[in-house]
Amino acid sequence: MDTAAVYAQFAESQALNGGSPTYQDWARGIAADPELRALLDTLPPAKRQPNLLFAAARLVGAPSAGWAEVRPWLLAAWDDVEREMRTRTTQTNEPRRCATFLPTLAALDSPVALIEVGASAGLCLCPDRYSYLYTSPDGTRTRVDPADGPSEVLLHCAIEGPAPERMPEIVWRAGLDLNPLDVRDPADLAWLEALVWPEHADRVETLRAAARVVASDPPRVVEGDLLVGLRDLVDAAPAEATVVVLHSAVLYYLTEPDRSTFAGLMSDLRRSRGVVWLSNEGWTVLPDVAAQLPEGLSPQFILAEDGAPVALTDPHGRSVRLL
């Protein structure tokens, strides 16, 4: 897909459905702008992503304005923006996604060894350190707190289906990322905040609170490729625990055949090691998962357990509909 099509699709799908008129405006502008597309096309394909461009621009100092004002700024600041794009990757670390994983994690009976691929700074490796408030369609509310008491992070999530009533017992955790971030590093935290879309101020506040919680005892996040380093982490997990490998909005950034290779790796780990695979990805990312949904559903993200859909989720963790 060429750059114009990528940005046009982003404008009318992710930005529209994700509630960002700013990014929809910017993406439409890029899609119709041959001068800026030519600059983007000097970058490797993986570095031309809308989220990466827009976050890098905001990190450098892009105005919070419409495309007509942002365009001349971007052309003038292109060298600085390009430098950030070449050295960084899209590493959105949305702790609210823990609320969509928790019902499935809480249903596991045995202690859990949790592994996240594409872990960024590891905020989603700590679901047992946040508090949750689930609201059902009839208004019923269910609150779940960590074992040692309420957390300063309270994640609100609309839920259709049974709400979890307990925390999973996570006895070991580790992450894998091409470029691990550290929430104790102000520069890394600034990048995580730049990745949050401009209209989503509440997500920034949640991110900062989660970063404070995680900074007190950060999980181990190993530098490595998910196709290469995952087996080592599985082997390092305690034998008495159920190993759960999860990821959210990660495989979107892989291309074929790497997505299929990863799915094959997970199938092998399930058979050979009893690993539980939890994927939370856009509905186009894993076609075999999407094909199992009942007709008539229009999901944004699909949460799947071992390749079978178990829930429809909001990309930023605001809601979960259990199937």
Side-chain angles (χ1 to χ4, degrees):
M1 187 180 295
D2 66 18
T3 303
V6 168
Y7 278 77
Q9 183 183 67
F10 179 87
E12 307 311 326
S13 57
Q14 290 101 312
L16 176 63
N17 295 326
S20 181
T22 298
Y23 277 5
Q24 186 176 39
D25 181 38
W26 292 9
R28 286 172 172 169
I30 293 285
D33 193 315
E35 185 176 2
L36 276 161
R37 293 202 313 271
L39 291 173
L40 281 167
D41 286 342
T42 66
L43 300 171
K47 295 291 187 178
R48 302 173 194 166
Q49 303 156 9
N51 275 326
L52 182 60
L53 168 61
F54 297 158
R58 292 173 64 218
L59 185 69
V60 171
S64 299
W67 177 245
E69 184 176 339
V70 170
R71 182 184 186 275
W73 177 91
L74 185 55
L75 287 169
W78 180 256
D79 288 347
D80 292 335
V81 173
E82 179 186 8
R83 182 165 51 253
E84 296 293 343
M85 293 177 72
R86 287 187 181 276
T87 58
R88 298 185 182 275
T89 56
T90 304
Q91 294 177 278
T92 304
N93 206 178
E94 178 52 73
R96 286 182 175 181
R97 290 173 179 154
C98 291
T100 62
F101 281 115
L102 193 71
T104 305
L105 287 172
L108 299 173
D109 292 329
S110 61
V112 169
L114 191 63
I115 298 174
E116 184 182 13
V117 294
S120 188
L123 299 185
C124 290
L125 276 168
C126 302
D128 53 336
R129 298 173 66 184
Y130 309 138
S131 292
Y132 302 84
L133 187 62
Y134 290 95
T135 303
S136 300
D138 65 0
T140 301
R141 294 188 171 190
T142 303
R143 179 163 177 145
V144 186
D145 290 309
D148 58 356
S151 170
E152 73 165 287
V153 178
L154 178 60
L155 303 178
H156 293 261
C157 184
I159 190 167
E160 294 184 40
E165 297 182 349
R166 68 178 187 92
M167 286 288 186
E169 183 186 0
I170 301 175
V171 297
W172 185 91
R173 67 193 88 212
L176 185 66
D177 199 280
L178 288 172
N179 179 37
L181 301 181
D182 187 340
V183 292
R184 298 167 297 185
D185 183 332
D188 284 354
L189 188 56
W191 176 237
L192 289 174
E193 291 184 11
L195 286 162
V196 177
W197 294 6
E199 292 84 359
H200 299 179
D202 58 328
R203 291 177 55 207
V204 174
E205 293 305 313
T206 299
L207 173 67
R208 291 172 178 168
R212 290 192 295 270
V213 169
V214 171
S216 65
D217 184 17
R220 175 189 176 211
V221 181
V222 178
E223 182 178 355
D225 184 281
L226 57 82
L227 297 177
V228 178
L230 182 56
R231 285 188 184 275
D232 288 342
L233 285 183
V234 171
D235 289 342
E240 67 275 12
T242 296
V243 177
V244 177
V245 174
L246 62 78
H247 53 87
S248 187
V250 170
L251 300 190
Y252 170 80
Y253 298 103
L254 300 184
T255 56
E256 291 293 358
D258 287 349
R259 287 181 190 172
S260 296
T261 300
F262 179 75
L265 171 61
M266 291 310 308
S267 295
D268 179 65
L269 289 172
R270 295 202 315 271
R271 289 191 301 266
S272 63
R273 296 294 307 276
V275 170
V276 175
W277 176 27
L278 298 183
S279 62
N280 187 43
E281 299 286 347
W283 70 275
T284 62
V285 173
L286 292 170
D288 290 346
V289 171
Q292 300 174 59
L293 290 176
E295 291 186 10
L297 295 180
S298 299
Q300 292 188 46
F301 271 39
I302 305 171
L303 175 62
E305 181 175 356
D306 296 334
V310 295
L312 307 183
T313 69
D314 172 79
H316 300 128
R318 294 187 179 96
S319 65
V320 57
R321 175 183 174 184
L322 301 172
L323 299 175

